[in-house]
């Protein structure tokens, strides 16, 4: 049993409550809040974890969308327009995969953790990230491991199923509270309906979370809605008179009654298509700026009542996997929003909301929730300014605890 206190406790509850000069008792879950002196008297057997007088404690961040298999990219891939980027990915994928050794992936995981992240949602296309993710999960960081399926060639359907099933069943062998197998259907433009139905049937059978990329780019939007544009011209190099597999609405309907994280949704206007009980949106601001030619309408999305949370995407379309950097990008691109209110909302979008999307007993400091929290030392700042100052100034945690256990950084 442990006791820890701070200048500010960011509960990250629905009201974004901040407790000042308070403490809490925890084992693997949070047991009680109160004044530090009172808790030390009430629980004399508990170990007191001393902290800096100006520290902030916040629930450990949750990054639900990464692509660690692209850990080797820095300047190789091309940005500015989605199809230019996609062609560079196809051209350089083998080269980048060969460079993304287990050691490099594990190193990037530790960097993510040092930015205050306790849970990672990893989208795994090939399984080359598996050993690093499993090793990291054994050292305290939690993974939701999305085995991804994709492919458009009708003649390769069975081959793709076999390859996917091998990766998927292997991940199931290691299922634990720190390594949670899940499924990713890559996207509407890249996944044949037979493969999508195959994967989603498995998700229903095993009651698993699902992730998918959706309406990320102008090219995808025109392709799915009008069967025109850059995708059509590109696909004509391979097949005569290509047609999209789905309309946008038909694609959403595939995920009916399945807990699904729809990533990007930059060109989605019809939020009513998504089911608030089962569906959420992962917003990746930095990635959208590099690829999408359009800004996600965060204000409208939040007004829809859907669960909107933050992700970094991978180094394939970002320069950082830190959620703090991602929040700083959000502060800059979502102009017109009150800065202090936006800061508090972004912190919820990195804690409370992704926890709900991933079915985790975490994401807020609350009695009965997992003791997943980070400690940041910022120096003196006013309570009202503290959320904004945390986003602007924090770089790395002092300590991070997952299920009450301090993690090695």
């Amino acid at each position: 049993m442990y006791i820890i206190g701070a200048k500010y406790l960011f509960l990250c509850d629905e009201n974004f409550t901040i407790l000042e000069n308070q403490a809490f008792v925890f084992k693997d879950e949070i047991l009680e809040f109160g004044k530090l002196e009172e808790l030390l008297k009430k629980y004399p057997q508990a170990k007191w974890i001393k902290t800096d007088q100006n520290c902030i404690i916040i629930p450990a961040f949750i990054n639900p969308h990464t692509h660690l298999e692209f850990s080797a990219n820095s300047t190789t891939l091309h940005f500015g327009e989605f199809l230019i980027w996609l062609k560079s990915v196809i051209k350089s994928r083998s080269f980048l995969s060969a460079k993304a050794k287990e050691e490099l992936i594990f190193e990037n995981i530790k960097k993510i953790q040092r930015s205050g992240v306790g849970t990672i949602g990893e989208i795994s296309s090939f399984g080359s990230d598996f050993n690093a993710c499993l090793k990291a999960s054994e050292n305290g960081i939690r993974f939701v491991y999305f085995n991804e399926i994709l492919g458009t060639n009708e003649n390769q359907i069975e081959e793709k199923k076999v390859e996917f099933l091998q990766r998927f069943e292997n991940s199931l062998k290691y299922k634990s509270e720190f390594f949670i197998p899940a499924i990713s259907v890559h996207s509407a433009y890249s996944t044949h309906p037979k493969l999508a139905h195959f994967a989603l049937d498995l998700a229903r059978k095993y009651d698993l979370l699902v992730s998918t990329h959706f309406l990320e780019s102008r090219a995808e939007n025109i392709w799915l809605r009008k069967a025109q544009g850059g995708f059509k011209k590109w696909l004509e190099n391979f097949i005569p008179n290509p047609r999209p597999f789905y309309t946008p609405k038909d694609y959403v309907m595939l995920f009916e009654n399945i807990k699904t994280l729809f990533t990007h949704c930059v060109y989605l206007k019809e939020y009513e298509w998504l089911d608030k009980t089962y569906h959420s949106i992962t917003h990746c601001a930095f990635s959208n700026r590099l690829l999408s030619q359009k800004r996600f309408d965060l204000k409208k999305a939040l007004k829809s009542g859907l669960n909107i949370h933050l992700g970094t995407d991978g180094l394939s379309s970002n320069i950082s996997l830190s959620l703090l950097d991602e929040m700083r990008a959000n502060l800059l691109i979502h102009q017109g929003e009150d800065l202090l209110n936006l800061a508090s909302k972004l912190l919820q979008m990195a804690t409370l909301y992704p926890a709900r999307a991933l079915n985790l007993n975490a994401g807020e400091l609350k009695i009965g929730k997992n003791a997943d929290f980070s400690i940041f030392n910022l120096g003196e700042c006013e309570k009202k300014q503290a959320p904004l100052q945390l986003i602007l100034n924090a770089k790395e945690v002092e300590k991070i605890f997952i299920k009450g256990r301090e993690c090695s950084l």
Side-chain angles (χ1 to χ4, degrees), residues 152 232 234-243:
T152 60
K232 181 178 177 64
W234 182 43
L235 291 171
E236 282 173 345
N237 295 318
F238 309 102
I239 52 178
N241 193 29
R243 299 287 299 174

Side-chain angles (χ1 to χ4, degrees), residues 176-397:
S176 71
E177 61 181 332
F178 289 99
F179 189 84
I180 304 166
I183 286 174
S184 169
V185 178
H186 181 267
S187 71
Y189 67 82
S190 66
T191 313
H192 194 284
K194 291 182 180 178
L195 290 177
H197 284 292
F198 172 72
L200 293 174
D201 285 345
L202 288 171
R204 290 186 177 93
K205 177 181 178 181
Y206 291 96
D207 191 25
L208 299 180
L209 293 163
V210 172
S211 180
T212 189
H213 305 86
F214 187 50
L215 290 178
E216 176 178 4
S217 67
R218 180 175 181 272
E220 180 187 354
N221 187 51
I222 295 173
W223 173 239
L224 295 184
R225 295 185 189 274
K226 299 180 179 180
Q228 294 295 326
F231 264 115
K232 181 178 177 64
K233 293 178 182 178
W234 182 43
L235 291 171
E236 282 173 345
N237 295 318
F238 309 102
I239 52 178
N241 193 29
R243 299 287 299 174
F245 293 126
Y246 325 85
T247 67
K249 187 173 184 179
D250 288 341
Y251 189 67
V252 171
M253 292 303 104
L254 290 179
F255 302 87
E256 186 176 12
N257 297 331
I258 298 176
K259 197 72 177 289
T260 304
L261 291 74
F262 288 83
T263 303
H264 301 307
C265 298
V266 179
Y267 286 83
L268 178 65
K269 299 175 291 184
E270 304 87 351
Y271 294 114
E272 67 275 9
W273 289 350
L274 301 184
D275 186 330
K276 294 174 187 176
T277 302
Y278 291 97
H279 300 155
S280 61
I281 294 176
T282 309
H283 171 39
C284 305
F286 210 110
S287 177
N288 294 159
R289 180 66 184 98
L290 295 182
L291 307 183
S292 298
Q293 300 176 306
K294 188 176 187 289
R295 178 176 59 83
F296 179 69
D297 192 338
L298 179 60
K299 187 173 184 178
K300 183 178 177 181
L302 289 169
K303 281 186 176 180
S304 74
L306 288 163
N307 177 338
I308 315 296
H309 48 266
L310 301 179
T312 61
D313 217 322
L315 291 178
S316 47
S317 59
N318 204 331
I319 60 168
S320 171
L321 298 179
S322 165
L323 268 180
L324 288 163
D325 287 340
E326 191 70 23
M327 283 185 263
R328 285 187 271 270
N330 272 271
L331 285 176
L332 295 176
I333 70 166
H334 296 299
Q335 299 173 12
E337 300 295 313
D338 178 86
L339 202 56
L340 296 181
N341 290 339
L342 179 58
S344 298
K345 182 58 67 176
L346 291 173
L347 290 169
Q348 290 173 315
M349 291 169 65
T351 54
L352 178 65
Y353 300 161
R356 290 174 177 173
L358 296 174
N359 293 332
L360 299 176
N361 185 39
E364 57 183 321
L365 301 182
K366 183 179 179 180
I367 293 173
K369 293 288 186 178
N370 288 340
D372 290 11
F373 61 90
S374 298
I375 305 170
F376 288 96
N377 287 333
L378 282 186
E380 188 89 24
C381 64
E382 294 181 1
K383 181 178 178 180
K384 186 177 180 180
Q385 284 279 324
L388 178 60
Q389 295 297 341
L390 175 67
I391 294 174
L392 291 175
N393 293 290
K395 300 297 187 294
E396 292 189 354
V397 294

Side-chain angles (χ1 to χ4, degrees), residues 105 144 371:
I105 294 175
V144 181

